[in-house]
Amino acid sequence: MPDSASGHNLFIIADDFTGANDAGLQLAKKSAPVKVLFSWDCATQSDEHRVLVINTDSRAVSAEQAAKRVGQAMAAYGKFSDSGYLYKKIDSTLRGNLGAEIEAILTSGYASFAIVAPALPALGRTTVDGCCYINGISLMETEFVSDPKTPVISASIKACLKQQTSLPIAEISLAQLRSGNFIETLNQLIAEQISIVVVDAVAESDLKLIGLSLKHLNTKPLLVGSAGLINQIPFIPNIDTVNGENDKNCTGPALIIAGSMSEITQQQINYVQQRNLADLVDIEVDSLLSSSSDWLIKSYAEQVLTIINQQRHCIVRTAPHPQQRERITDLCHQYQLTRTELGERVSEFFGQLTALILSQIG
């Protein structure tokens, strides 16, 4: 693969919209020209000087569907003969089709070796002995075990990968990472045709060691991680080619659609609410499942538009009460839906609500 100093420097594949934006944001903060795409078909040759982030929306689909969507994204990658690093953005809590998506990229012909480091130390997400911890607590003892759409099955990264791929996997411990022989260890694993290497990390300095090794490897790897590792990739942003687009400032009230029921999302909303920085519109999941969606969408849109017309920021959320997360199983049973189907119903509702609001605004 050609040197990353030419063309766009990163091609990032994320499995959901939040992850795609998160990845793009990390690089936009460094003044890199970033474009987040909803569809791989939207990538054109005119984007060759950008960091491209493609959302395959594949976290909650089957492994087969996820692999197919990532394969299509790789076909878009093939449009750029001078592309730099490939980055597979994954969730730091291992939700999604990790094995299937990594294998789809490695078998595409554009990479043959993957470094997997999902740690995000800034948020307390660390990896020790190949297992994920959140603020020192095993992933399997956290709320992510009961995620409404994609509950995690193991704290072990290797175990999660093996659910969907038979490619050879190796693990590198913290001691090996920090030994001073990390580059030699990686090159040896490449020579042994190990396809996937899981690397421990508990601090930003650990992720930096991974980043510093990249230019010294015998082959350019597929990088797999969260927003943590992405900050350590040695890339050169072509800022002059985007006509100052990153300097545009947005004015006016913001509309935030918070469909996640995670504890972190609720903490963020509470932070905003306590400081009176935005008004809230609460949506009960029960109501959108049991009532006429057209009537509900119009009703909620009117509430949101009233707030925005008062020049106030507005947050629309689905989980005003912590107990709602615990009721997902009951709701699925009551309405005869799988967790994925329930999530899709909520997403569709928010999509229609947002479309109606935007049509009224502009």
Side-chain angles (χ1 to χ4, degrees):
M1 210 179 298
D3 187 82
S4 64
S6 63
H8 68 273
N9 305 282
L10 284 173
F11 188 86
I12 303 170
I13 302 175
D15 63 1
D16 76 341
F17 185 54
T18 301
N21 281 332
D22 189 17
L25 177 62
Q26 305 310 312
L27 299 170
K29 287 179 179 178
K30 298 181 178 182
S31 298
V34 178
K35 186 174 183 179
V36 177
L37 305 174
F38 285 101
S39 169
W40 39 88
D41 295 328
C42 297
T44 65
Q45 200 66 43
S46 63
D47 293 320
E48 63 181 350
H49 294 295
R50 297 177 185 270
V51 172
L52 291 183
V53 188
I54 287 186
N55 168 32
T56 55
D57 194 24
S58 53
R59 179 173 297 181
V61 302
S62 68
E64 293 75 16
Q65 287 177 307
K68 181 179 179 180
R69 293 183 186 184
V70 169
Q72 290 171 316
M74 291 309 300
Y77 177 76
K79 296 179 182 179
F80 303 93
S81 60
D82 58 356
S83 296
Y85 284 103
L86 267 171
Y87 194 94
K88 178 67 192 77
K89 168 68 172 62
I90 63 172
D91 178 54
S92 61
T93 62
L94 309 184
R95 292 173 293 175
N97 294 292
L98 277 65
E101 297 193 4
I102 292 172
E103 181 174 303
I105 297 174
L106 292 181
T107 57
S108 70
Y110 292 101
S112 59
F113 172 74
I115 296 175
V116 181
L120 185 55
L123 293 182
R125 280 88 186 276
T126 58
T127 305
V128 178
D129 295 329
C131 291
C132 289
Y133 293 84
I134 299 180
N135 296 318
I137 300 173
S138 171
L139 181 62
M140 295 305 290
E141 297 177 17
T142 68
E143 62 170 335
F144 298 100
V145 174
S146 61
D147 185 86
K149 292 180 66 176
T150 52
V152 295
I153 59 171
S154 174
S156 166
I157 301 169
K158 187 175 182 177
C160 290
L161 292 170
K162 281 191 170 183
Q163 288 285 319
Q164 297 179 338
T165 182
S166 58
L167 293 175
I169 303 171
E171 296 175 313
I172 292 182
S173 67
L174 275 177
Q176 291 173 304
L177 172 65
R178 298 170 176 177
S179 67
N181 299 315
F182 178 58
I183 295 171
E184 290 79 0
T185 300
L186 282 178
N187 280 327
Q188 180 60 39
L189 292 172
I190 292 172
E192 294 172 3
Q193 297 187 326
I194 298 296
S195 299
I196 302 172
V197 177
V198 177
V199 184
D200 282 356
V202 299
E204 295 293 339
S205 57
D206 296 322
L207 296 177
K208 187 173 183 179
L209 286 173
I210 298 174
L212 291 173
S213 75
L214 299 179
K215 293 183 177 181
H216 304 283
L217 299 181
N218 293 335
T219 184
K220 186 175 289 184
L222 162 68
L223 299 171
V224 183
S226 63
L229 180 60
I230 207 167
N231 279 316
Q232 304 302 332
I233 301 175
F235 73 99
I236 306 170
N238 297 310
I239 302 171
D240 295 336
T241 62
V242 291
N243 301 318
E245 287 185 17
N246 286 343
D247 294 330
K248 291 182 179 179
N249 294 318
C250 296
T251 59
L255 171 62
I256 300 171
I257 306 294
S260 172
M261 291 186 176
S262 74
E263 181 181 348
I264 291 176
T265 298
Q266 303 316 311
Q267 290 174 354
Q268 292 169 335
I269 293 174
N270 290 338
Y271 179 92
V272 173
Q273 186 179 21
Q274 290 168 4
R275 288 157 180 78
N276 193 33
L277 300 176
D279 292 340
L280 300 180
V281 173
D282 289 330
I283 296 180
E284 296 282 350
V285 176
D286 307 51
S287 65
L288 69 88
L289 292 175
S290 62
S291 305
S292 168
S293 59
D294 289 342
W295 177 86
L296 270 181
I297 289 170
K298 290 179 181 178
S299 175
Y300 284 122
E302 289 176 359
Q303 294 181 50
V304 171
L305 288 168
T306 297
I307 295 170
I308 290 177
N309 288 335
Q310 294 172 348
Q311 297 299 302
R312 291 279 296 170
H313 300 309
C314 180
I315 300 176
V316 181
R317 65 176 177 180
T318 56
H321 311 296
Q323 296 81 1
Q324 279 197 323
R325 184 185 181 92
E326 301 170 3
R327 292 196 60 242
I328 294 300
T329 301
D330 293 337
L331 288 173
C332 287
H333 179 74
Q334 181 179 347
Y335 295 100
Q336 297 184 326
L337 299 169
T338 64
R339 285 175 174 262
T340 298
E341 290 170 338
L342 186 147
E344 289 174 349
R345 287 276 292 272
V346 174
S347 297
E348 182 180 359
F349 180 89
F350 275 130
Q352 294 173 344
L353 175 62
T354 303
L356 180 58
I357 293 169
L358 292 178
S359 70
Q360 296 296 317
I361 292 177

